[in-house]
Amino acid sequence: MWYVLTGIPGLEDSRAWISIPICSMYVLALIGNAFLIVTVTERSPHELMYILLPTLASADVLLSTATAPKMLAIFWFQSMDILFGCCVSQMFFVHFIFVAESAILLAMAFDRYVAICHPLRYTTILTSSVTGKIGITAVVRSFIICLPFIFLAHRLRYCGRNIIPHSYCEHMGIARLACDNIRVNIIYGLTVALLSTGLDIVFIIMSYTMILCTVFQIPSWAARFKALNTCASHIWVILMFFAPAFFSFFAHRFGGKTIPHHVHILVANLYVVVPPMLNPIIYGVKTKQIQDRVILLFSPIN
């Protein structure tokens, strides 16, 4: 069965103009994250943060690549058709990468907590074994959480409606085309958002609350500023990741007529290219080790 992705409803005449920034951001995301991966992994410090950075960059590349090419094909060539199986596969990868990135950001918050609140025990707490287990847990958890989306989409009975008013496939967009009751799909989607990603946010807030309590107990203002500066890039990335994602999630379910549909779809489109584009820039500006490696890379060979 073929589905039709309409792109951004109501903005059909502006597709060419919308495609320019999206294509530019996608290309910059690929270049920036590839550069970040090479820069950090090449003789990088054996700390959890410098293992998670290339992992986050890889996830950003996968997220943008799973969605942006099809979006651009819609905008440029009106290539709106997509097979049901391909649509479900895209849906799985989009949700899988999102849940995985949420876990990566939680691991980064834990890394900052240990580094600032227990600096003398950092190497004994975050050993290579623990680091490996954190990475494996993030991937396995994401897979287990997102695998049911495939079965929930396949269990529904479809009656010929095949137009998805979106630029890429996601769970509720597919489910709303079914003739059956989709209450189970709605409940599971909300459960995943609240009990997996929602809990990640709660633990991230707890980590930074404890970090702030520790930082403001430091007598030296210079030391306080240095400690806060090490967390600034991570906080910006967290805000860029979760804010548009939850806006899109709740707008799709509860926005109704309050939020124009084209606004929701446009935010969803930007979400898959803007954070992947900005993450390498933010970490490059705020992380001294990355700055040093960039300077070394571009400095003339003596």
Side-chain angles (χ1 to χ4, degrees):
M1 180 178 178
W2 289 89
Y3 279 174
V4 177
L5 293 167
T6 62
I8 305 176
L11 297 179
E12 288 82 4
D13 295 337
S14 304
R15 284 176 177 170
W17 294 106
I18 295 173
S19 69
I20 294 173
I22 289 179
C23 180
S24 301
M25 287 185 284
Y26 174 55
V27 172
L28 289 174
L30 293 180
I31 295 173
N33 283 289
F35 186 78
L36 180 64
I37 292 170
V38 172
T39 302
V40 174
T41 55
E42 186 176 298
R43 295 178 298 176
S44 63
H46 297 289
E47 298 178 9
L48 178 60
M49 179 62 76
Y50 295 97
I51 296 173
L52 293 174
L53 274 178
T55 306
L56 180 65
S58 300
D60 282 337
V61 169
L62 291 175
L63 178 62
S64 57
T65 301
T67 52
K70 182 60 180 178
M71 289 162 47
L72 294 174
I74 294 171
F75 296 150
W76 289 341
F77 311 114
Q78 288 73 51
S79 177
M80 304 178 186
D81 295 338
I82 185 171
L83 281 169
F84 176 76
C86 296
C87 193
V88 172
S89 298
Q90 186 184 52
M91 171 204 72
F92 170 78
F93 281 110
V94 168
H95 293 308
F96 171 79
I97 296 168
F98 174 80
V99 176
E101 284 206 42
S102 177
I104 293 169
L105 292 175
L106 173 59
M108 286 181 167
F110 178 66
D111 172 85
R112 292 301 86 197
Y113 163 73
V114 176
I116 294 175
C117 299
H118 305 283
L120 299 179
R121 299 173 56 199
Y122 183 90
T123 55
T124 58
I125 294 175
L126 294 176
T127 61
S128 299
S129 175
V130 171
T131 300
K133 290 176 182 177
I134 289 174
I136 294 172
T137 301
V139 174
V140 172
R141 188 194 76 153
S142 303
F143 181 81
I144 292 173
I145 288 173
C146 295
L147 186 63
F149 283 129
I150 297 177
F151 298 103
L152 288 172
H154 277 283
R155 78 175 183 88
L156 296 172
R157 182 170 55 92
Y158 301 93
C159 305
R161 291 184 297 172
N162 66 340
I163 297 177
I164 301 176
H166 210 307
S167 301
Y168 55 86
C169 298
E170 51 90 34
H171 176 232
M172 289 309 300
I174 297 175
R176 291 188 189 281
L177 298 178
C179 304
D180 295 333
N181 189 313
I182 61 172
R183 182 175 298 176
V184 174
N185 299 66
I186 295 173
I187 292 173
Y188 186 75
L190 285 171
T191 302
V192 167
L194 296 176
L195 295 185
S196 64
T197 310
L199 283 177
D200 289 347
I201 294 174
V202 170
F203 289 132
I204 288 171
I205 293 173
M206 290 173 58
S207 297
Y208 275 97
T209 300
M210 290 184 284
I211 287 172
L212 289 175
C213 290
T214 301
V215 167
F216 286 112
Q217 291 176 359
I218 300 174
S220 169
W221 280 97
R224 288 184 189 180
F225 178 78
K226 183 178 179 181
L228 291 173
N229 192 49
T230 61
C231 301
S233 57
H234 187 219
I235 292 174
W236 276 111
V237 169
I238 289 171
L239 292 175
M240 284 195 309
F241 178 78
F242 285 113
F246 273 90
F247 170 83
S248 180
F249 176 85
F250 287 109
H252 195 70
R253 285 159 176 79
F254 309 113
K257 297 180 180 179
T258 306
I259 302 172
H261 193 60
H262 69 272
V263 173
H264 161 229
I265 303 301
L266 185 60
V267 170
N269 287 357
L270 294 176
Y271 163 72
V272 297
V273 289
V274 173
M277 177 194 68
L278 292 179
N279 286 353
I281 298 173
I282 292 172
Y283 281 116
V285 169
K286 288 292 184 179
T287 307
K288 186 177 184 302
Q289 288 84 347
I290 296 176
Q291 294 176 6
D292 293 341
R293 300 200 184 284
V294 171
I295 294 171
L296 181 63
L297 184 64
F298 287 100
S299 61
I301 300 175
N302 295 322

Short mmCIF file of all heavy atoms in Angstrom, two decimals, residues 189-217:
data_model
loop_
_atom_site.label_atom_id
_atom_site.label_comp_id
_atom_site.label_asym_id
_atom_site.label_seq_id
_atom_site.Cartn_x
_atom_site.Cartn_y
_atom_site.Cartn_z
N GLY A 189 1.78 5.84 23.14
CA GLY A 189 2.59 7.00 22.78
C GLY A 189 2.78 7.95 23.94
O GLY A 189 3.89 8.44 24.20
N LEU A 190 1.69 8.21 24.68
CA LEU A 190 1.79 9.07 25.86
C LEU A 190 2.64 8.43 26.95
O LEU A 190 3.42 9.11 27.62
CB LEU A 190 0.39 9.37 26.40
CG LEU A 190 -0.46 10.36 25.61
CD1 LEU A 190 -1.89 10.39 26.13
CD2 LEU A 190 0.16 11.75 25.66
N THR A 191 2.49 7.12 27.12
CA THR A 191 3.27 6.42 28.14
C THR A 191 4.76 6.51 27.85
O THR A 191 5.57 6.77 28.74
CB THR A 191 2.84 4.94 28.22
OG1 THR A 191 1.44 4.87 28.51
CG2 THR A 191 3.63 4.20 29.29
N VAL A 192 5.12 6.30 26.58
CA VAL A 192 6.53 6.41 26.19
C VAL A 192 7.05 7.82 26.45
O VAL A 192 8.14 8.01 26.99
CB VAL A 192 6.70 6.03 24.70
CG1 VAL A 192 8.09 6.43 24.21
CG2 VAL A 192 6.48 4.54 24.50
N ALA A 193 6.25 8.83 26.07
CA ALA A 193 6.69 10.22 26.24
C ALA A 193 6.87 10.57 27.71
O ALA A 193 7.85 11.25 28.08
CB ALA A 193 5.66 11.17 25.60
N LEU A 194 5.97 10.10 28.56
CA LEU A 194 6.00 10.49 29.97
C LEU A 194 6.93 9.62 30.81
O LEU A 194 7.62 10.14 31.69
CB LEU A 194 4.58 10.45 30.55
CG LEU A 194 3.58 11.44 29.92
CD1 LEU A 194 2.19 11.24 30.51
CD2 LEU A 194 4.04 12.88 30.12
N LEU A 195 6.95 8.32 30.55
CA LEU A 195 7.70 7.42 31.43
C LEU A 195 9.12 7.12 30.95
O LEU A 195 9.92 6.59 31.71
CB LEU A 195 6.94 6.10 31.60
CG LEU A 195 5.59 6.21 32.31
CD1 LEU A 195 4.98 4.82 32.53
CD2 LEU A 195 5.74 6.93 33.66
N SER A 196 9.44 7.44 29.71
CA SER A 196 10.83 7.27 29.27
C SER A 196 11.50 8.62 29.11
O SER A 196 12.35 9.02 29.91
CB SER A 196 10.88 6.48 27.95
OG SER A 196 10.25 7.21 26.91
N THR A 197 11.06 9.38 28.12
CA THR A 197 11.63 10.71 27.91
C THR A 197 11.32 11.65 29.07
O THR A 197 12.16 12.44 29.49
CB THR A 197 11.11 11.31 26.60
OG1 THR A 197 11.26 10.35 25.54
CG2 THR A 197 11.88 12.57 26.25
N GLY A 198 10.09 11.56 29.60
CA GLY A 198 9.72 12.40 30.73
C GLY A 198 10.58 12.14 31.95
O GLY A 198 11.02 13.08 32.63
N LEU A 199 10.85 10.86 32.23
CA LEU A 199 11.72 10.52 33.36
C LEU A 199 13.15 10.98 33.11
O LEU A 199 13.84 11.39 34.05
CB LEU A 199 11.68 9.01 33.62
CG LEU A 199 10.45 8.48 34.34
CD1 LEU A 199 10.51 6.97 34.47
CD2 LEU A 199 10.30 9.12 35.73
N ASP A 200 13.59 10.89 31.85
CA ASP A 200 14.92 11.40 31.52
C ASP A 200 15.03 12.88 31.89
O ASP A 200 16.03 13.32 32.47
CB ASP A 200 15.21 11.22 30.03
CG ASP A 200 15.44 9.77 29.65
OD1 ASP A 200 15.61 8.94 30.56
OD2 ASP A 200 15.43 9.46 28.44
N ILE A 201 14.00 13.64 31.56
CA ILE A 201 14.01 15.07 31.87
C ILE A 201 14.04 15.30 33.38
O ILE A 201 14.75 16.17 33.88
CB ILE A 201 12.78 15.76 31.24
CG1 ILE A 201 12.87 15.70 29.72
CG2 ILE A 201 12.66 17.20 31.71
CD1 ILE A 201 11.63 16.22 29.02
N VAL A 202 13.26 14.51 34.11
CA VAL A 202 13.23 14.64 35.57
C VAL A 202 14.62 14.38 36.15
O VAL A 202 15.12 15.14 37.00
CB VAL A 202 12.21 13.67 36.19
CG1 VAL A 202 12.35 13.62 37.70
CG2 VAL A 202 10.79 14.08 35.81
N PHE A 203 15.28 13.32 35.70
CA PHE A 203 16.62 12.99 36.21
C PHE A 203 17.65 14.04 35.78
O PHE A 203 18.60 14.33 36.53
CB PHE A 203 17.05 11.60 35.73
CG PHE A 203 16.29 10.48 36.39
CD1 PHE A 203 15.75 9.45 35.64
CD2 PHE A 203 16.12 10.45 37.77
CE1 PHE A 203 15.05 8.42 36.24
CE2 PHE A 203 15.42 9.42 38.38
CZ PHE A 203 14.88 8.40 37.62
N ILE A 204 17.49 14.59 34.58
CA ILE A 204 18.39 15.66 34.14
C ILE A 204 18.24 16.89 35.04
O ILE A 204 19.23 17.49 35.48
CB ILE A 204 18.11 16.03 32.67
CG1 ILE A 204 18.59 14.91 31.74
CG2 ILE A 204 18.81 17.34 32.29
CD1 ILE A 204 18.17 15.09 30.29
N ILE A 205 16.99 17.25 35.35
CA ILE A 205 16.74 18.39 36.25
C ILE A 205 17.32 18.12 37.64
O ILE A 205 17.94 19.01 38.25
CB ILE A 205 15.22 18.67 36.33
CG1 ILE A 205 14.71 19.18 34.99
CG2 ILE A 205 14.92 19.70 37.43
CD1 ILE A 205 13.21 19.33 34.92
N MET A 206 17.14 16.89 38.14
CA MET A 206 17.71 16.54 39.44
C MET A 206 19.22 16.66 39.42
O MET A 206 19.83 17.18 40.37
CB MET A 206 17.29 15.11 39.81
CG MET A 206 15.82 14.94 40.15
SD MET A 206 15.35 13.21 40.39
CE MET A 206 16.46 12.72 41.72
N SER A 207 19.86 16.20 38.34
CA SER A 207 21.32 16.27 38.23
C SER A 207 21.79 17.71 38.29
O SER A 207 22.74 18.05 39.03
CB SER A 207 21.80 15.61 36.93
OG SER A 207 21.48 14.24 36.91
N TYR A 208 21.13 18.58 37.53
CA TYR A 208 21.58 19.97 37.49
C TYR A 208 21.20 20.73 38.75
O TYR A 208 21.87 21.71 39.11
CB TYR A 208 21.04 20.66 36.24
CG TYR A 208 21.95 20.42 35.06
CD1 TYR A 208 21.68 19.41 34.14
CD2 TYR A 208 23.11 21.16 34.90
CE1 TYR A 208 22.53 19.17 33.08
CE2 TYR A 208 23.97 20.93 33.86
CZ TYR A 208 23.68 19.93 32.95
OH TYR A 208 24.53 19.68 31.92
N THR A 209 20.15 20.30 39.43
CA THR A 209 19.85 20.90 40.73
C THR A 209 20.97 20.62 41.72
O THR A 209 21.44 21.52 42.44
CB THR A 209 18.51 20.34 41.27
OG1 THR A 209 17.46 20.66 40.36
CG2 THR A 209 18.19 20.96 42.63
N MET A 210 21.43 19.37 41.77
CA MET A 210 22.54 19.02 42.66
C MET A 210 23.83 19.69 42.22
O MET A 210 24.65 20.09 43.06
CB MET A 210 22.69 17.50 42.71
CG MET A 210 21.55 16.81 43.43
SD MET A 210 21.76 15.02 43.61
CE MET A 210 21.37 14.47 41.95
N ILE A 211 24.02 19.85 40.89
CA ILE A 211 25.21 20.54 40.40
C ILE A 211 25.21 22.00 40.86
O ILE A 211 26.23 22.52 41.35
CB ILE A 211 25.28 20.46 38.86
CG1 ILE A 211 25.66 19.04 38.42
CG2 ILE A 211 26.29 21.47 38.30
CD1 ILE A 211 25.56 18.82 36.93
N LEU A 212 24.07 22.66 40.74
CA LEU A 212 23.97 24.07 41.15
C LEU A 212 24.19 24.23 42.65
O LEU A 212 24.86 25.18 43.09
CB LEU A 212 22.61 24.64 40.75
CG LEU A 212 22.37 24.86 39.25
CD1 LEU A 212 20.95 25.32 38.99
CD2 LEU A 212 23.36 25.88 38.70
N CYS A 213 23.64 23.29 43.43
CA CYS A 213 23.85 23.35 44.89
C CYS A 213 25.33 23.24 45.22
O CYS A 213 25.84 23.94 46.11
CB CYS A 213 23.07 22.23 45.58
SG CYS A 213 21.29 22.45 45.54
N THR A 214 26.04 22.37 44.49
CA THR A 214 27.48 22.21 44.72
C THR A 214 28.26 23.43 44.26
O THR A 214 29.17 23.90 44.95
CB THR A 214 27.99 20.95 43.98
OG1 THR A 214 27.29 19.80 44.45
CG2 THR A 214 29.48 20.77 44.20
N VAL A 215 27.90 23.94 43.08
CA VAL A 215 28.63 25.07 42.50
C VAL A 215 28.53 26.31 43.39
O VAL A 215 29.53 27.00 43.63
CB VAL A 215 28.10 25.38 41.09
CG1 VAL A 215 28.62 26.74 40.60
CG2 VAL A 215 28.51 24.28 40.12
N PHE A 216 27.34 26.59 43.92
CA PHE A 216 27.17 27.81 44.71
C PHE A 216 27.74 27.68 46.13
O PHE A 216 27.72 28.64 46.89
CB PHE A 216 25.69 28.20 44.77
CG PHE A 216 25.20 28.78 43.47
CD1 PHE A 216 24.29 28.10 42.68
CD2 PHE A 216 25.68 30.01 43.03
CE1 PHE A 216 23.84 28.63 41.49
CE2 PHE A 216 25.23 30.56 41.83
CZ PHE A 216 24.32 29.86 41.05
N GLN A 217 28.26 26.52 46.45
CA GLN A 217 28.99 26.36 47.70
C GLN A 217 30.48 26.61 47.53
O GLN A 217 31.22 26.68 48.50
CB GLN A 217 28.77 24.95 48.25
CG GLN A 217 27.34 24.70 48.75
CD GLN A 217 27.13 23.27 49.22
OE1 GLN A 217 28.04 22.44 49.15
NE2 GLN A 217 25.94 22.97 49.69
#
